[in-house]
Amino acid sequence: MGHENITEFILLGLFSDEDAKVACFVVFSLCYIVILSGNLFILLTIRGSRLREQPMYFFLSYLSFMDVCFTSTVAPRLITDLLVEQKTISYDSCMAQMFYAHFFGATEMFILVAMAYDRYAAICRPLHYMVIMNRQVCYVLLMASILGAFLHSILQVLIIIELPFCGPNQIDHYLCDIFPLLKLACTDTSLLVIVVITTTGMISVVTFVALVISYIIILSTLRTRSSQSCRKALSTCSSHITVVFLFFLPLIFTYVPTADSVSNDKVFALFYTMFAPMFNPFIYTLRNTDMKNAMRKMWCRDTRFEGK
């Protein structure tokens, strides 16, 4: 390992405009509060109601949990760095942030795949649904998501810790990520850039394409159903499709092109680290009757008891 000369990095952040920093501090702080409260609200509602017995909500509760974890690896530092002059991060903290951001992000990605599989089983194989998606299968899919994400994240860290860092230590980003770090290495990293694009980039593209195809199959199956069941399934699927597009498109724009578009990467990264986790609770609750009923039962009942 060759990072002996560099013990810390300086994060350049989103931009240098002082007025914009104060405005963004307020906006991102509010976003983070919405992400935490919205996702924890969904998590507690599912865990405290009968919805937890259904595979779709089993995965949704873990998706909400991953949203909280994923944003928490990035948002607190992003928010505090907007108000400090010197945005330093130690080498070890930088590696830890990169690992956890990739770990929670990839777990979320794989959980979205599991949710698409669940919808496919529910709509295309309704008679066998309870057998296909029993609780054991749900846990296997969840553990496979976590293991896949761990392997992906550890690969990112192993690529970086083997590189020598002896020159400039300014990361042109608001978080430690692999492309900005590869640019700082004191060696030729062009081959590693191709490795990252083919691993992280292709995982994103292949997963996204597989999800889109699965939803096309699901929606084509729905055309043969009665209008009432079709409407309910459509509202569920449209929520899933919206989340998939919100999460995957910025991710693909970040990891598929070249490593030279870092300024754009910072903007795209905001979408999947801040905006997608913030909109997820709204997308999954506003058009979901089961979720709204569970929330009304659980939270209105609690306030009624408190009032007595």
Side-chain angles (χ1 to χ4, degrees), residues 98-255:
M98 186 173 72
F99 173 81
Y100 286 119
H102 277 268
F103 175 67
F104 292 125
T107 306
E108 197 167 324
M109 198 161 82
F110 296 137
I111 286 174
L112 285 169
V113 175
M115 289 174 85
Y117 178 66
D118 168 69
R119 290 300 83 206
Y120 168 80
I123 292 161
C124 302
R125 307 284 301 279
L127 299 177
H128 304 99
Y129 177 62
M130 293 318 291
V131 178
I132 296 169
M133 293 303 295
N134 62 52
R135 191 39 58 108
Q136 197 176 353
V137 171
C138 291
Y139 278 115
V140 168
L141 288 170
L142 179 67
M143 293 315 294
S145 301
I146 292 167
L147 182 63
F150 177 80
L151 293 172
H152 159 76
S153 311
I154 210 78
L155 176 68
Q156 311 296 307
V157 175
L158 290 174
I159 287 171
I160 294 298
I161 61 172
E162 292 302 319
L163 294 174
F165 291 99
C166 52
N169 66 337
Q170 292 187 327
I171 298 173
D172 186 15
H173 214 303
Y174 60 84
L175 72 136
C176 285
D177 204 5
I178 194 154
F179 281 156
L181 284 166
L182 285 173
K183 284 189 149 191
L184 298 180
C186 307
T187 184
D188 180 28
T189 58
S190 52
L191 190 65
L192 288 173
V193 168
I194 294 165
V195 169
V196 174
I197 290 170
T198 51
T199 54
T200 307
M202 289 319 291
I203 287 172
S204 307
V205 172
V206 170
T207 310
F208 178 69
V209 170
L211 285 169
V212 170
I213 291 168
S214 71
Y215 281 116
I216 289 169
I217 294 166
I218 290 166
L219 293 173
S220 64
T221 307
L222 282 175
R223 284 163 51 198
T224 60
R225 300 290 163 84
S226 66
S227 58
Q228 193 180 354
S229 62
C230 184
R231 253 199 311 275
K232 189 179 178 185
L234 261 178
S235 70
T236 308
C237 287
S238 62
S239 302
H240 287 218
I241 294 163
T242 309
V243 170
V244 164
F245 274 87
L246 256 179
F247 186 77
F248 276 92
L249 289 183
L251 202 64
I252 289 166
F253 282 124
T254 304
Y255 290 103

Side-chain angles (χ1 to χ4, degrees), residues 237-308:
C237 287
S238 62
S239 302
H240 287 218
I241 294 163
T242 309
V243 170
V244 164
F245 274 87
L246 256 179
F247 186 77
F248 276 92
L249 289 183
L251 202 64
I252 289 166
F253 282 124
T254 304
Y255 290 103
V256 173
T258 62
D260 299 325
S261 55
V262 174
S263 57
N264 290 335
D265 288 355
K266 289 194 276 191
V267 178
F268 291 136
L270 273 180
F271 275 91
Y272 60 81
T273 56
M274 293 291 285
F275 300 139
M278 182 175 70
F279 286 117
N280 283 2
F282 298 108
I283 293 165
Y284 280 115
T285 54
L286 291 178
R287 295 189 62 189
N288 191 317
T289 315
D290 292 342
M291 196 73 195
K292 282 193 277 197
N293 289 341
M295 283 156 72
R296 208 174 289 120
K297 265 185 199 168
M298 187 174 168
W299 301 104
C300 294
R301 182 188 62 201
D302 290 351
T303 50
R304 247 199 336 268
F305 284 142
E306 281 168 23
K308 282 185 180 178

Side-chain angles (χ1 to χ4, degrees), residues 6-12 73 77 81 86-98 169 171 173-176 181:
I6 284 185
T7 56
E8 64 180 23
F9 294 103
I10 296 166
L11 293 164
L12 295 181
T73 61
R77 180 171 284 277
D81 279 356
Q86 192 77 330
K87 307 168 184 65
T88 56
I89 183 169
S90 72
Y91 180 90
D92 291 342
S93 297
C94 188
M95 295 303 109
Q97 188 188 49
M98 186 173 72
N169 66 337
I171 298 173
H173 214 303
Y174 60 84
L175 72 136
C176 285
L181 284 166

